[in-house]
Amino acid sequence: MLGNFSYHNPTALYFGENALDYLNEELPKFGKTVQLIYGGGSIKKNGIYDSILEILEKNGKTVVEDGGVMPNPTVEKLYEGVRIARENKVDFLLAVGGGSCCDYAKAVSVSVNCNDDPWDKYYIRFEEPECEILPVGCVLTMAGTGSEMNGGAVITNHEQKLKIGHVFGDNVMPKFAILNPKFTMSLPKKQMTAGIYDIFNHICEQYFSGEDDNTSDYLSEALMKSVIKSSLIAVENPEDYEARSNIMWCATWALNTLISRGKDTDWMVHMLGQAAGAYTDATHGLTLAAVSLPYYKHIMPYGIHKFARFAKEVWGVETKGKTENEIANEGLERMADWMKKIGVAVSLSDLGATKDMIEGIADATIILDGGYKVLNRDEVVEILKQSL
Ligand code: NZQ
Ligand code: ZN
C-alpha cells in the first residue's frame, strides 16, 4: 500500500542540446546581480563559461564571480560564498557545474540573510530557514546527484570530520535547471562512472525498504534498468549521446523526490559513504560503491523478498528451481559484476581510508531507521571493516 503523501516539485527543467537557450527566458525573472558559481575550472576549458557569460551580458546582468567550489564543498567555502553575496547585494545565484556547485549554491541561498552560523543552524541543529532565501538556478555539467531538482545541500566540515546533508524544502530547490547531455561529455571517465554509481545507489536507497506493492518501486526498477543499460554503452563509448542523455535524465528522476513517495527509504549506504568521505574527501559515488556490497549482504536476510525481486526484475536472474536466498545472492553477484565492468569496484582503502580510521568513521555515521535493519554500532564497524 502506498502511504499518504503530498507531492510538489517546483523546479522547471530544460533538457537537450539547445537547453541553454532557455537561460534567456529564465534570467529576466530574477534581479540584476548574479553570483556566478562554478568549480575548479572545467567550464572554462570546455567553453560553457563563455557561453553563459555571453547570455548573462546580453540580459543586462551584473556578474559577480564565485569560482573554486571544490568537490565536497567545505564550510569555509560556504562562508566565503555568503560574504561574496552580502558584499555585492546579490539577487540570484547561478550554479554551473555538478552537484557540488549546485549544493553549495543552495547552502549559500539559505545563509545570506541568516544571522546564525549556517553550519550550526542547518547541519548540526537541522533547523529550517526562517530568513529570505535567494533564488538559485542551475546549469548542470555532471549527471549524478540529482541536486538540480531537489533540496539537498551537502557540506563538509574537515575540522569536525563531518560531511552532512540537509534536505531543504521546495522553497530552496532550484527555480530551474538546464540539462544538456553534451555538457557532460568532457567529464573524465572516472567522474562519469562515479556519477553513474551515485544514480544507481540513490534508487537502491529508496527501493530497499518496505514490502508493499507500490508504484514507486516499479518506477525504481525501470530507472535502474535504464541506468545499467546506458552505463554499459557509455563506458565503451562516452560520446554516445543516447546513453549519456538517458543517464542524465535517470539522475534527475532518481532523486527528485518522486520515487520515495508513499514509502519508507533506507539511505544507510549514503550515511556510511558520507562518513567515509569526511575522512578521505574521496569522490562521493566511489565512497558509496565501496560500502554498498558489504552493507547489502549484511541486510539481505532482513529484506530477502525485495532482494529476490531485485535479482529477478532488475538483473533478469532466472528463478526456476532456486531458493529465494539463491536468487537474491545471484542478484548481488550480478550487481558486483556490473560494478566491475563500469569500473567502480573499489574499497575504502583504495580511497585512502585506513584501519585506524574505522572507529572515527563509525562515530561519524548517522544511523537511520527506514531500511530493513536498524544497524547497531558494532554492525557499522563490521561493515566498514569489510569495505576496507
Ligand atoms: O570543479 P570542476 O573543475 O568543474 O570539475 C568537476 C569536479 O572536479 C568535474 N566536472 C564536473 N562537470 C564536468 C567536470 N569536468 C569536466 N567536464 C565536466 N562537464 O567533476 C568533479 C566532480 O564534480 P562534483 O560537482 O563534485 O560531483 P558531483 O556531481 O558528484 O557532486 C558531488 C557532491 O554532491 C553531494 C556529494 O556529497 C558531493 O558533495 N551530493 C548531493 C546530493 C543532493 N543534493 O541531493 C545527493 C548526493 O547523494 C550527494 O551526497
Ligand atoms: Zn549520492
Side-chain angles (χ1 to χ4, degrees):
M1 189 189 85
L2 275 173
N4 302 337
F5 62 86
S6 60
Y7 185 73
H8 174 235
N9 193 315
T11 305
L13 291 181
Y14 302 100
F15 191 95
E17 291 177 68
N18 300 323
L20 192 60
D21 294 348
Y22 290 92
L23 190 54
N24 286 301
E25 286 188 15
E26 286 291 340
L27 285 176
K29 298 177 189 167
F30 306 99
K32 190 173 166 57
T33 307
V34 177
Q35 186 159 334
L36 180 58
I37 291 168
Y38 55 95
S42 71
I43 64 164
K44 290 197 170 164
K45 284 192 204 125
N46 58 23
I48 298 172
Y49 175 85
D50 289 338
S51 310
I52 287 178
L53 216 58
E54 197 182 313
I55 297 173
L56 286 166
E57 276 164 16
K58 201 174 100 195
N59 282 273
K61 301 293 179 183
T62 303
V63 177
V64 177
E65 292 265 337
D66 183 7
V69 178
M70 61 293 283
N72 311 319
T74 62
V75 68
E76 291 79 16
K77 180 63 189 162
L78 170 60
Y79 295 145
E80 183 184 292
V82 170
R83 181 183 52 73
I84 294 171
R86 284 180 183 160
E87 281 176 9
N88 295 281
K89 296 194 171 45
V90 161
D91 301 304
F92 181 62
L93 303 165
L94 183 62
V96 186
S100 292
C101 288
C102 205
D103 277 21
Y104 164 83
K106 285 180 251 176
V108 172
S109 80
V110 293
S111 307
V112 176
N113 297 309
C114 168
N115 293 326
D116 287 349
D117 178 87
W119 173 258
D120 290 342
K121 181 176 172 65
Y122 299 125
Y123 295 93
I124 298 295
R125 301 199 300 271
F126 281 97
E127 292 172 9
E128 292 311 315
E130 292 109 24
C131 57
E132 195 191 326
I133 300 162
L134 282 190
V136 170
C138 168
V139 178
L140 198 66
T141 66
M142 164 157 177
T145 64
S147 184
E148 65 276 12
M149 204 184 187
N150 70 35
V154 183
I155 296 293
T156 299
N157 186 323
H158 287 296
E159 201 187 313
Q160 295 180 16
K161 291 237 179 310
L162 290 172
K163 180 178 184 185
I164 296 180
H166 188 128
V167 181
F168 293 99
D170 299 3
N171 49 354
V172 182
M173 291 185 191
K175 301 297 174 211
F176 65 86
I178 289 173
L179 312 179
N180 179 346
K182 288 219 155 151
F183 287 179
T184 69
M185 297 284 191
S186 54
L187 266 176
K189 206 169 190 178
K190 186 177 157 258
Q191 290 293 346
M192 177 187 79
T193 51
I196 289 168
Y197 190 74
D198 192 22
I199 303 166
F200 188 79
N201 190 256
H202 291 160
I203 309 169
C204 291
E205 299 275 33
Q206 296 162 94
Y207 182 74
F208 287 121
S209 55
E211 290 294 348
D212 303 326
D213 185 36
N214 67 60
T215 304
S216 295
D217 285 340
Y218 292 104
L219 290 171
S220 290
E221 285 163 357
L223 287 170
M224 286 193 267
K225 285 198 268 192
S226 180
V227 174
I228 294 162
K229 183 174 178 193
S230 297
S231 64
L232 292 169
I233 297 169
V235 287
E236 284 303 315
N237 179 15
E239 303 287 315
D240 189 300
Y241 183 83
E242 189 175 55
R244 298 300 291 268
S245 59
N246 281 327
I247 290 167
M248 196 169 206
W249 194 219
C250 283
T252 305
W253 286 97
L255 194 50
N256 68 357
T257 69
L258 179 77
I259 61 170
S260 61
R261 291 310 86 183
K263 69 187 298 282
D264 286 333
T265 54
D266 184 352
W267 293 107
M268 271 318 294
V269 168
H270 271 67
M271 295 304 104
L272 291 157
Q274 264 173 219
Y279 275 74
T280 58
D281 204 27
T283 302
H284 170 67
L286 297 181
T287 62
L288 309 177
V291 300
S292 283
L293 286 165
Y295 175 70
Y296 288 133
K297 280 180 193 158
H298 186 81
I299 63 158
M300 198 175 77
Y302 305 94
I304 192 72
H305 303 313
K306 193 60 154 289
F307 278 90
R309 174 176 161 173
F310 173 67
K312 181 170 167 257
E313 301 298 336
V314 178
W315 299 100
V317 169
E318 180 58 62
T319 57
K320 223 170 153 194
K322 293 175 191 160
T323 65
E324 204 170 38
N325 202 40
E326 284 166 347
I327 298 163
N329 268 318
E330 220 175 302
L332 286 187
E333 280 163 22
R334 297 263 186 109
M335 178 174 148
D337 287 346
W338 169 69
M339 289 170 75
K340 273 189 208 133
K341 274 189 195 143
I342 66 164
V344 297
V346 292
S347 67
L348 285 179
S349 331
D350 296 332
L351 304 178
T354 49
K355 236 183 189 169
D356 59 313
M357 290 180 187
I358 294 295
E359 293 293 327
I361 297 175
D363 287 340
T365 302
I366 299 170
I367 296 177
L368 301 174
D369 62 2
Y372 289 122
K373 168 80 176 74
V374 182
L375 300 181
N376 59 43
R377 195 176 182 286
D378 289 348
E379 290 174 304
V380 170
V381 169
E382 193 47 42
I383 290 163
L384 289 170
K385 279 185 183 161
Q386 283 167 19
S387 308
L388 260 186

